Amino acid sequence: MTCFMHAWHRQLSLSLSKTLQKTKTLDGLKSSHAQMIITGLHQTSFAVGNFVARCSALGHMSYAHQVFDEIRQPNSFVWNTVIRGFQKNQEPHMAILFFSTMRSRNIPSDNFTFPFVLRACSDLRDLQKGLWIHAQLLKVRLESDIFVSTSLVEFYIVCGDMKIARQVFDEIPVKDVVSWTVILSGYVNECGDMENAQRLFNEMPVKDLVAWNTMIAGYVKIGDMKVARDLFDRVPVKDLLMCNTMLGGYAKNGEIVSMIQLFNEMEERDVVSWNTVISGLVQCKKVNHAITLFHRMQLDNVRPNDVTVVTVLSGCAQVGALDIGRWIHSYVDRNQFGLDAVVGTALVDMYSKCGALQSAQDVFDRMPDKDVMSWNAMIMGFSMNGQSKTALKLYYQMQGEGVRPNEVTMMGVLCACTHAGLVNEGWKCFNSMNEELGITPKVEHYGCMVDLLGRAGLLKEAYEFIQGMPLVPHTGVWGALLGACKIHGNVELAECAIEHLIELDMQDGGYLAIMSNIYANAGRWNDVAKVRKLMSEKGVDKMRGCSSIAVNGEVHEFGAGEKIHPQSEEIYKMINEISRQLRIAGHVASTALVHLNRVNKRGSGVLQDAD
């Protein structure tokens, strides 16, 4: 009779297990629980263990806990399943609590118990609790179990103790590929120790794809693409993840030729591959190539995602390629991407930077859900396009709709005040950061205030404001003061500002060029000569300006004084013709910033443009 009952329970348990695998809701779990009670399976460890496992998979550990409490004599299998469930469902405290209760009731722990308890300790970064678990597994002589010892190595790595992790690893009698990979990943990902990682990698008896990927990703992370490429070329089998990692490394380091070459050689590409290359091209301001690749992506039947669209729009915003940006916008509409916060904000940003403010506002108004970044983009758009009062109005509307401003918001607001010369409004907004919004101003916010005060002619207040800053002023702060001194002809404060700028950034000749202008405007030609001599001795020069224009979908870039454009001859002819027509029409060019240097050693005047 007993054998018959066991067989019957076994059959019911198997049937319940099949039913549970199909269960996907809490109501389904409750129905299965009712059947367990009716059949008496709620007191069998096999059935309860399977039920707890299904509760864990569906994220209902509180219900699993209730069912567990009903069983009178759960065995190790049930305890382990509950501990595993809590750990997998981000309840590490409960996993450790159950383990402690298990120990107090003298329920034997085994090699299935400790790995999940150790992972719970890892989740909590609780080194002391992990040390206690380590002591417990030593008592039951499980330190040599490969599953347990590998989990122990992983725990010490997560807690930042590579020394003990390596010691535990070295004491494993028979290591498998997983244990090797875990310690290798620790050296690479947790502490960036590529030297020890390389030694360990060389010692590995079997190097699987995970190990190769780990090493390549490690060298890519530290920017050593030469070693990364060497490993990449040596790997027996390359997967898509590895290729994408290399693409990302080349993109990050600006090695565009190598990136494109590898991309073209890849037999398989996913959307991540395409996005990485497009992003790399945009970062290097090769927007034409990025757009071409975007078109090619569609021809290869790879559907762009939000990341693709946002990246291309970012490129259009960089170079002011409005026509291309509008085409991307139409593509978004045609393919029903929707104006979510990410894509919508990218469109607002693109239109704003291209000067199409009405289009930016149209997109902003149509967005169903706006986050703080969406508001920031529109506020900054109004600000950079001279619509300061509208920017401030939108700022107050933002607050009225319950969207809390952040640091970026306040940059846009302060810039708007600067452009419009709204000193009182600027002070009000700046002071509200700490007092009302709980935002600690950064050095960039202080720079905006210096710019605001300086442009308004309040140079003394601007200097005193810098002196009272709780942060160390950077080049932007002193540069703002220098620019204001140029506008208002204050040589004394300009000299103070340039001293700090030279200390902070000797390589930027733009500041020295401005100082040269200030001296020239004041008629101090000896000082002009000294500044020019200093620039010559230090080998610094003002960074040349660059502009771009999109014509028929192609972006053309021009650098100041450069003649590398294939149509440069025709372009300069047209510029000269425009200048001639302007002179005929009576236009007189401003020569305020073109100075006659009367300190030339030979006594002859030399025209110098300090800008």
Side-chain angles (χ1 to χ4, degrees):
M1 184 68 178
T2 303
C3 292
F4 172 76
M5 289 298 294
H6 277 299
W8 182 62
H9 271 152
R10 183 72 175 174
Q11 188 63 37
L12 286 174
S13 295
L14 291 172
S15 177
L16 174 69
S17 181
K18 292 179 181 179
T19 302
L20 283 171
Q21 290 304 313
K22 299 176 183 178
T23 302
K24 296 183 179 180
T25 64
L26 181 59
D27 287 340
L29 289 172
K30 290 180 178 179
S31 177
S32 296
H33 185 201
Q35 290 298 316
M36 288 169 61
I37 294 172
I38 293 170
T39 58
L41 291 177
H42 66 299
Q43 291 299 326
T44 63
S45 293
F46 181 78
V48 172
N50 282 332
F51 186 84
V52 168
R54 192 57 186 163
C55 287
S56 171
L58 297 175
H60 295 295
M61 281 307 296
S62 59
Y63 192 57
H65 193 174
Q66 295 175 33
V67 175
F68 174 83
D69 287 343
E70 294 174 2
I71 187 170
R72 288 186 289 271
Q73 292 182 321
N75 61 13
S76 296
F77 166 68
V78 181
W79 282 93
N80 291 345
T81 307
V82 173
I83 291 170
R84 176 183 180 181
F86 279 122
Q87 190 275 322
K88 291 284 187 183
N89 282 274
Q90 289 78 51
E91 296 187 64
H93 285 102
M94 289 299 296
I96 295 171
L97 177 62
F98 260 74
F99 175 74
S100 300
T101 306
M102 182 181 183
R103 297 290 297 168
S104 67
R105 295 185 186 180
N106 294 319
I107 307 295
S109 305
D110 54 28
N111 59 342
F112 291 103
T113 313
F114 287 101
F116 293 106
V117 181
L118 286 167
R119 287 176 192 171
C121 293
S122 297
D123 294 338
L124 296 170
R125 302 294 194 274
D126 193 334
L127 182 60
Q128 293 304 314
K129 190 69 71 175
L131 289 169
W132 175 69
I133 302 295
H134 191 171
Q136 299 305 310
L137 67 88
L138 288 172
K139 289 179 181 179
V140 293
R141 301 180 180 278
L142 281 173
E143 70 275 10
S144 297
D145 182 273
I146 188 64
F147 193 30
V148 174
S149 55
T150 301
S151 298
L152 192 58
V153 170
E154 194 170 21
F155 160 73
Y156 282 118
I157 290 172
V158 170
C159 289
D161 198 329
M162 281 301 300
K163 184 177 180 181
I164 299 181
R166 183 58 189 264
Q167 184 179 337
V168 173
F169 172 79
D170 289 339
E171 291 173 357
I172 300 175
V174 180
K175 304 173 181 67
D176 63 4
V177 68
V178 176
S179 57
W180 279 97
T181 304
V182 165
I183 191 69
L184 181 69
S185 178
Y187 279 122
V188 173
N189 298 322
E190 295 299 324
C191 53
D193 187 352
M194 293 307 298
E195 187 176 343
N196 273 315
Q198 187 64 60
R199 289 198 197 98
L200 194 74
F201 183 73
N202 293 338
E203 295 172 10
M204 288 182 70
V206 177
K207 299 175 179 66
D208 65 356
L209 196 56
V210 176
W212 284 99
N213 268 316
T214 301
M215 289 298 295
I216 290 171
Y219 281 112
V220 165
K221 186 177 181 180
I222 64 173
D224 194 338
M225 292 305 298
K226 184 178 180 181
V227 178
R229 182 68 201 215
D230 178 61
L231 288 170
F232 181 79
D233 291 337
R234 286 166 47 200
V235 67
V237 179
K238 300 173 178 64
D239 66 352
L240 185 57
L241 173 63
M242 188 180 295
C243 293
N244 285 344
T245 300
M246 288 295 297
L247 287 177
Y250 284 134
K252 181 181 177 182
N253 288 278
E255 298 183 36
I256 300 302
V257 174
S258 297
M259 179 186 73
I260 293 294
Q261 182 180 352
L262 174 59
F263 180 78
N264 289 333
E265 291 171 355
M266 288 169 61
E267 295 180 2
E268 179 188 1
R269 307 181 191 98
D270 62 3
V271 70
V272 175
S273 316
W274 290 90
N275 287 349
T276 301
V277 177
I278 290 172
S279 176
L281 291 168
V282 168
Q283 287 172 29
C284 292
K285 298 186 178 180
K286 296 184 179 294
V287 179
N288 282 339
H289 293 84
I291 300 297
T292 300
L293 205 66
F294 179 72
H295 291 309
R296 181 178 155 195
M297 179 182 188
Q298 296 161 72
L299 292 174
D300 281 12
N301 295 317
V302 179
R303 179 176 170 79
N305 59 14
D306 287 0
V307 175
T308 324
V309 171
V310 170
T311 302
V312 177
L313 286 172
S314 171
C316 293
Q318 277 184 26
V319 298
L322 180 59
D323 290 342
I324 299 173
R326 289 195 189 281
W327 182 86
I328 300 294
H329 187 180
S330 67
Y331 176 87
V332 167
D333 289 340
R334 288 196 310 271
N335 290 272
Q336 300 178 335
F337 274 79
L339 287 178
D340 62 15
V342 177
V343 174
T345 300
L347 281 167
V348 170
D349 183 63
M350 182 274 297
Y351 279 128
S352 296
K353 289 177 178 175
C354 290
L357 200 56
Q358 187 58 56
S359 296
Q361 189 168 6
D362 290 343
V363 172
F364 181 78
D365 291 340
R366 285 171 47 212
M367 289 172 63
D369 299 305
K370 306 177 184 74
D371 62 9
V372 66
M373 297 306 296
S374 310
W375 288 90
N376 290 350
M378 195 67 254
I379 289 170
M380 191 62 81
F382 283 126
S383 176
M384 73 175 67
N385 284 280
Q387 303 290 328
S388 298
K389 291 184 178 179
T390 309
L392 290 170
K393 182 180 177 182
L394 193 66
Y395 167 64
Y396 292 119
Q397 180 186 337
M398 170 189 184
Q399 291 178 291
E401 295 191 17
V403 181
R404 191 173 183 81
N406 62 13
E407 297 167 353
V408 179
T409 317
M410 300 314 296
M411 282 294 297
V413 170
L414 292 175
C415 285
C417 293
T418 299
H419 295 155
L422 303 173
V423 176
N424 292 334
E425 190 72 23
W427 272 120
K428 176 185 173 183
C429 293
F430 182 81
N431 291 330
S432 72
M433 290 178 67
N434 251 327
E435 296 170 3
E436 300 173 19
L437 302 174
I439 300 172
T440 302
K442 291 190 172 181
V443 69
E444 291 80 9
H445 299 104
Y446 285 97
C448 280
M449 284 303 298
V450 172
D451 197 21
L452 171 61
L453 295 170
R455 285 172 184 262
L458 303 172
L459 296 177
K460 182 181 178 183
E461 289 87 339
Y463 180 70
E464 290 174 351
F465 182 77
I466 295 175
Q467 295 297 97
M469 282 176 57
L471 303 171
V472 177
H474 65 1
T475 54
V477 174
W478 290 111
L481 181 63
L482 182 67
C485 291
K486 177 183 174 183
I487 295 170
H488 299 285
N490 191 317
V491 178
E492 183 181 352
L493 270 182
E495 288 177 331
C496 175
I498 200 68
E499 285 180 13
H500 290 282
L501 287 165
I502 290 173
E503 288 179 9
L504 291 169
D505 186 3
M506 188 62 242
Q507 299 306 310
D508 191 342
Y511 300 127
L512 290 171
I514 293 173
M515 194 67 222
S516 176
N517 275 342
I518 293 171
Y519 280 136
N521 287 332
R524 293 170 56 171
W525 300 106
N526 288 335
D527 290 320
V528 172
K530 289 177 183 178
V531 172
R532 289 294 177 176
K533 183 180 179 182
L534 177 62
M535 293 176 69
S536 177
E537 290 174 350
K538 298 293 184 181
V540 298
D541 195 5
K542 180 184 176 185
M543 187 179 295
R544 293 189 175 190
C546 180
S547 60
S548 62
I549 185 172
V551 179
N552 296 326
E554 184 178 0
V555 178
H556 301 264
E557 289 191 355
F558 304 91
E562 291 180 353
K563 295 186 178 181
I564 59 175
H565 192 279
Q567 294 177 279
S568 60
E569 186 175 341
E570 294 95 322
I571 292 169
Y572 276 101
K573 281 183 179 179
M574 178 56 69
I575 291 173
N576 291 333
E577 175 60 22
I578 292 172
S579 298
R580 189 182 71 82
Q581 293 289 342
L582 284 169
R583 285 194 298 273
I584 292 172
H587 172 73
V588 179
S590 172
T591 58
L593 296 179
V594 181
H595 305 289
L596 183 65
N597 185 352
R598 303 185 186 281
V599 295
N600 185 276
K601 289 182 179 179
R602 295 184 180 179
S604 61
V606 178
L607 284 175
Q608 288 193 349
D609 182 1
D611 264 359

